[in-house]
């Protein structure tokens, strides 16, 4: 009896890419992004739903931007892209691809949206553009998202871009909650379930048109 095993290969890497949509530019992180990136990662919701250090310092941001994030791409694990507004060039979030399996042509997508940019549909627009690039340009066959059971905003993004819920990983994540609910108190770890979502190339049919009806075009271009 055998089980499936990963076919990841460090010999395959994503290109140094820039992806453009009607409103956004997804590009590699730059050292100039350090202050805005650190501010974004110190947001309450980011602390609650991710595993980033708390507090998140500019030194954390600089190490990630200049050393750790580039290594994700060059060592074949995935890629990290800054999400910026086309008109203002303001940092509004990040998209990360991780746990890439080059044999299966599959990768896991995650994102963070800055508090000053929420409610604009940026997460859906950036995630959909990334998925389109993966499927149409890179020949990928599956994108996976994992959302904490109580993170309804992340679940809504998954649904908007056409993801299908595949099931629940019980007790698979550690979220963080304020001690006693006090907004000025410390953080406590809280075990929670993860919902697994998948996106296949055929799932994108009609998604761009649906999002366009919501007020923006998801057409993307890459170079």
């Amino acid at each position: 009896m055998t089980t499936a095993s990963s076919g990841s290969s460090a010999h395959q890497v994503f290109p140094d890419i820039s992806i453009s949509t009607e409103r956004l530019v997804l590009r590699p992180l730059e050292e100039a992004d350090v202050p805005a990136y650190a501010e974004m990662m110190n947001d309450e919701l980011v602390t609650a739903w991710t595993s980033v250090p708390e507090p998140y310092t500019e030194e954390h941001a600089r190490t990630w931007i200049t050393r750790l994030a580039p290594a994700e791409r060059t060592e074949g694990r995935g890629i990290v892209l800054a999400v910026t507004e086309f008109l203002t060039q303001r940092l509004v979030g990040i998209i990360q691809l991780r746990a890439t399996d080059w044999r299966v042509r599959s990768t896991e997508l995650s994102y963070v949206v800055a508090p000053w940019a929420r409610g604009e549909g940026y997460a859906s627009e950036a995630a959909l553009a990334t998925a389109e690039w993966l499927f149409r340009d890179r020949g990928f066959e599956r994108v996976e998202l994992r959302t904490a059971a109580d993170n309804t905003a992340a679940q809504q993004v998954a649904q908007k871009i056409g993801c299908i819920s595949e099931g629940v990983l019980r007790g698979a994540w550690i979220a963080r909650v304020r001690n006693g609910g006090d907004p000025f108190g410390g953080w406590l770890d809280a075990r929670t379930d993860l919902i697994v979502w998948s996106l296949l190339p055929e799932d994108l049919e009609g998604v761009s048109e649906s999002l366009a009806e919501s007020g923006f075009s998801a057409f993307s271009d890459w170079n």
Side-chain angles (χ1 to χ4, degrees):
M1 180 177 179
T2 62
T3 57
S5 60
S6 172
S8 298
S9 170
H11 297 293
Q12 298 189 67
V13 301
F14 288 117
D16 201 4
I17 189 75
S18 176
I19 301 173
S20 300
T21 72
E22 181 181 280
R23 303 186 297 170
L24 303 173
V25 176
L26 283 62
R27 56 157 176 80
L29 285 160
E30 302 169 352
E31 192 161 3
D33 296 320
V34 165
Y37 189 86
E39 183 180 356
M40 176 176 72
M41 301 308 278
N42 270 310
D43 175 67
E44 290 272 312
L45 291 180
V46 177
T47 300
W49 296 121
T50 73
S51 59
V52 298
E54 193 285 317
Y56 196 92
T57 67
E58 288 198 3
E59 191 55 38
H60 287 131
R62 185 169 289 102
T63 299
W64 173 248
I65 288 172
T66 62
R67 183 165 59 85
L68 300 179
E72 290 292 296
R73 186 184 73 82
T74 58
E75 295 178 12
R77 293 186 293 272
I79 192 170
V80 183
L81 296 171
V83 180
T84 63
E85 286 181 330
F86 177 77
L87 291 177
T88 67
Q89 300 183 23
R90 180 178 64 162
L91 181 73
V92 297
I94 60 163
I95 287 279
Q96 180 173 2
L97 302 178
R98 60 176 299 277
T100 302
D101 190 317
W102 295 96
R103 179 174 177 272
V104 178
R105 309 303 289 178
S106 173
T107 192
E108 182 181 331
L109 183 150
S110 62
Y111 59 86
V112 170
V113 176
W116 52 85
R118 292 178 187 144
E120 300 292 335
Y122 287 158
S124 301
E125 188 169 342
L128 181 58
T130 304
E132 289 177 336
W133 169 67
L134 284 166
F135 292 150
R136 298 174 184 176
D137 189 71
R138 308 312 302 172
F140 270 61
E141 297 292 335
R142 174 182 169 89
V143 173
E144 186 174 297
L145 285 77
R146 300 185 178 197
T147 64
D150 293 329
N151 192 347
T152 55
Q155 293 160 30
Q156 289 170 356
V157 170
Q159 292 170 332
K160 281 183 180 179
I161 66 172
C163 291
I164 303 299
S165 174
E166 293 187 332
V168 176
L169 300 177
R170 296 183 301 162
W173 188 246
I174 301 293
R176 286 179 282 206
V177 296
R178 283 294 190 183
N179 188 3
D182 180 357
F184 302 103
W187 292 94
L188 297 176
D189 288 345
R191 185 167 294 277
T192 187
D193 298 340
L194 284 177
I195 301 174
V196 179
W197 306 80
S198 68
L199 188 67
L200 306 184
E202 57 265 33
D203 297 329
L204 289 186
E205 295 180 12
V207 172
S208 294
E209 291 81 0
S210 175
L211 288 177
E213 292 174 1
S214 301
F216 71 88
S217 168
F219 171 80
S220 57
D221 190 18
W222 41 84
N223 56 59

